[in-house]
Amino acid sequence: MLFSSLIFMAVFLPCVLIIYYGPLRRHRSLQNVFLLLASLGFYAWGEPWFVLIMLLSILGNWIFGMLVDKVRASKVKSRTVISVMLIFNISIIFVFKYLMFTLKTINSLAGTDINVPQIALPIGISFFTFQAISYVIDVYREKGEMQKNLLNVGLYIAFFPQLIAGPIVRYETISDQIMERRESWDDFAHGVCRFIVGLSKKVLLANNFAVVADQSFAFSAADNCSVAFAWLGAISYTLQIYFDFSGYSDMAIGLGGMFGFHFPENFNYPYISVSVSEFWRRWHISLGTWFRDYVYFPLGGSRVASKLRLVFNLFVVWFMTGVWHGANFTFIAWGVMYFVFISLEKLTDFEKRNIPIAIKYVYTMFLVVIGWVFFRADSIADGISFVGKMFGAGALGLTDANFTVFMKENIWYFVFGIVFSTPIARKLSDLVTEKTSETNPLIAALYSVCLAAGMLFSLSYLVKGAYNPFIYFNF
């Protein structure tokens, strides 16, 4: 079930809110049980049997949490539990996400004919598995209390706002909120506003950029694409994936706020970055900090004796980041690309060098856009071919009718997309803080009108059945 679907907004969410704040209002334990059941129903909406994988993850990691809490005094026993826990969780991801890819690769390289089973991918498996791992490790590190109640562990792992596409909420962040959260009308109202902002980003911007990007990549695959149309497609996908994913994160954070949960921010205007390293401090923050705290720091991070070890640590993190995103060599190449440039930046102290900001920005965004091309491509060969067309190799001239048509039809989407991918949006939002709205009610009223318009136009698009994909469901 998509947040940006009529069934979710018109039926599922209102029913959950009415029951949560109605008959269950003063019963925290019953509220948690209800939210868990609602979350499992939300997850089972598309493929009911996938919920069994979720239940296996919940049960297994609840047991591991109790075991590691019990044997924490013994370093050998506790590390053994952590190792088995990692094998358990990684095995689940491997079977459903990487087994087919692995067997196909073996057949291709070794010339074998191993039967490749067709295994459906449970939606969001990488997200909820990483949260499950976080629970056990945080209990081991004493950064969160072990949950004796299986249902509370289930709620942490399966809570529907962040279940399918994050942000990846680490256990230490909300361990106290499971039983001790405090709902308020301010949080609820802010959550509603945040949800509408995210919905507007997803439906009004991302979905329209998706149409342009899909057409550009399709024409490129048919060798019927000009240089200008290739660049338009690459930029469209760059904007699509940002508004698609950040919009969904906004909706998740807003939904959490409606129920008294406070989730971490997942994006901080990554497209204003002036280094690749900065880009990744601003993009998918919850994933970056997860790898930093659970992989990079345990390996030694940057506080190591040699630069070679630093490079190795970075390689492990970025190789895993690429693999996490999907079972395709394009994702591995994408992750390795970031490993190379982030390593070079760290080894050369790039961020501290006195280089004009404009040059740093162009360098960063050029690499980001090229990276998204490979992320979007079906194969490395397709990615190379598309990038080639961006620079004239195999392209049908400098421009063509497709570029002209799509540019004219979507010019205002590009204007708003570029504007709202910068802090201009945040500065406009700051104008309607409580203090400002008290002194300037006109601005507050204008903000409310904009939210209402965003909601109305989004619903209009959904009612007429507009194109409504979501990129990160694949991960």
Side-chain angles (χ1 to χ4, degrees):
M1 190 184 302
L2 289 168
F3 293 164
S4 56
S5 66
L6 294 176
I7 188 67
F8 176 83
M9 289 184 287
V11 180
F12 180 86
L13 182 58
C15 289
V16 172
L17 288 171
I18 289 171
I19 296 173
Y20 182 87
Y21 282 108
L24 303 182
R25 182 178 180 182
R26 300 184 183 279
H27 304 280
R28 178 65 74 212
S29 295
L30 291 179
Q31 284 180 326
N32 286 349
V33 172
F34 171 68
L35 287 180
L36 172 59
L37 294 176
S39 297
L40 294 176
F42 171 86
Y43 190 72
W45 179 260
E47 290 287 348
W49 77 271
F50 282 164
V51 80
L52 299 177
I53 309 302
M54 173 73 68
L55 293 174
L56 174 64
S57 177
I58 292 170
L59 178 61
N61 287 286
W62 172 65
I63 294 172
F64 285 122
M66 290 193 296
L67 287 175
V68 79
D69 183 69
K70 184 177 181 180
V71 304
R72 184 184 291 110
S74 170
K75 183 177 293 187
V76 174
K77 290 181 180 179
S78 59
R79 288 184 175 179
T80 299
V81 172
I82 293 296
S83 298
V84 176
M85 178 274 295
L86 290 173
I87 292 172
F88 169 78
N89 284 290
I90 293 173
S91 295
I92 292 176
I93 294 181
F94 178 81
V95 169
F96 288 95
K97 192 169 184 177
Y98 303 107
L99 180 59
M100 290 191 300
F101 171 73
T102 301
L103 294 178
K104 289 177 181 178
T105 302
I106 292 174
N107 284 340
S108 177
L109 296 178
T112 55
D113 191 24
I114 301 173
N115 180 53
V116 180
Q118 296 302 306
I119 303 174
L121 178 66
I123 294 174
I125 188 170
S126 296
F127 286 94
F128 72 71
T129 302
F130 268 35
Q131 290 205 173
I133 292 173
S134 169
Y135 166 69
V136 181
I137 293 179
D138 285 353
V139 169
Y140 166 66
R141 293 177 175 177
E142 298 186 84
K143 292 186 175 181
E145 184 179 354
M146 183 269 293
Q147 292 285 344
K148 295 181 180 180
N149 190 328
L150 172 62
L151 299 181
N152 286 345
V153 176
L155 178 60
Y156 162 67
I157 294 175
F159 190 33
F160 73 88
Q162 41 73 48
L163 169 60
I164 292 178
I168 300 172
V169 181
R170 288 154 55 180
Y171 180 62
E172 68 173 289
T173 302
I174 65 166
S175 59
D176 294 335
Q177 298 178 40
I178 293 175
M179 292 301 297
E180 304 298 329
R181 64 187 179 276
R182 292 289 183 268
E183 299 90 343
S184 70
W185 284 114
D186 284 343
D187 282 345
F188 187 89
H190 182 268
V192 172
C193 293
R194 188 69 180 268
F195 181 87
I196 294 173
V197 169
L199 179 68
S200 301
K201 289 164 71 173
K202 171 72 180 74
V203 175
L204 302 181
L205 292 175
N207 288 359
N208 284 288
F209 291 131
V211 174
V212 182
D214 288 351
Q215 289 297 314
S216 177
F217 276 82
F219 275 92
S220 174
D223 291 326
N224 187 23
C225 183
S226 68
V227 171
F229 194 36
W231 274 100
L232 187 67
I235 293 171
S236 296
Y237 187 73
T238 298
L239 293 170
Q240 176 199 353
I241 195 169
Y242 171 67
F243 286 108
D244 188 84
F245 193 17
S246 70
Y248 211 90
S249 292
D250 286 339
M251 287 188 277
I253 292 170
L255 287 168
M258 294 181 202
F259 296 97
F261 287 90
H262 296 92
F263 298 153
E265 295 295 334
N266 212 19
F267 290 87
N268 183 22
Y269 302 105
Y271 291 162
I272 66 169
S273 303
V274 292
S275 72
V276 175
S277 299
E278 182 187 1
F279 172 78
W280 273 100
R281 291 194 295 268
R282 293 174 175 272
W283 177 274
H284 202 171
I285 298 169
S286 63
L287 179 66
T289 54
W290 196 100
F291 274 117
R292 181 196 66 194
D293 293 343
Y294 296 121
V295 180
Y296 186 62
F297 284 169
L299 287 173
S302 59
R303 297 181 178 181
V304 289
S306 68
K307 292 183 178 180
L308 183 61
R309 178 57 193 238
L310 170 62
V311 171
F312 172 78
N313 293 348
L314 290 170
F315 174 78
V316 171
V317 168
W318 289 104
F319 179 82
M320 292 178 65
T321 299
V323 170
W324 181 89
H325 279 86
N328 194 320
F329 286 113
T330 55
F331 297 117
I332 296 175
W334 176 76
V336 170
M337 183 200 83
Y338 278 108
F339 152 70
V340 170
F341 286 99
I342 288 176
S343 296
L344 289 174
E345 288 184 359
K346 287 188 176 296
L347 293 174
T348 61
D349 286 328
F350 175 79
E351 292 185 285
K352 297 179 181 179
R353 290 186 175 274
N354 188 24
I355 300 173
I357 293 296
I359 294 177
K360 285 186 173 182
Y361 179 74
V362 171
Y363 145 80
T364 301
M365 287 309 301
F366 174 79
L367 291 177
V368 168
V369 171
I370 297 300
W372 287 137
V373 169
F374 284 94
F375 192 93
R376 168 64 172 75
D378 293 328
S379 67
I380 292 179
D382 288 343
I384 293 173
S385 175
F386 192 94
V387 172
K389 291 180 176 63
M390 292 169 67
F391 294 95
L396 296 180
L398 185 60
T399 186
D400 59 7
N402 290 319
F403 169 77
T404 303
V405 170
F406 280 101
M407 191 65 190
K408 285 183 177 179
E409 290 181 349
N410 296 277
I411 182 64
W412 285 109
Y413 290 115
F414 284 105
V415 170
F416 284 112
I418 292 171
V419 168
F420 286 103
S421 64
T422 71
I424 293 175
R426 181 170 59 193
K427 291 178 180 178
L428 291 174
S429 178
D430 289 343
L431 292 175
V432 293
T433 58
E434 183 177 355
K435 180 178 179 181
T436 305
S437 62
E438 288 176 353
T439 58
N440 194 340
L442 180 62
I443 294 177
L446 180 61
Y447 180 69
S448 299
V449 170
C450 289
L451 284 177
M455 186 69 178
L456 179 62
F457 283 119
S458 296
L459 290 175
S460 298
Y461 269 77
L462 296 176
V463 167
K464 72 177 185 179
Y467 187 45
N468 190 30
F470 181 64
I471 296 171
Y472 266 74
F473 273 7
N474 298 320
F475 311 131

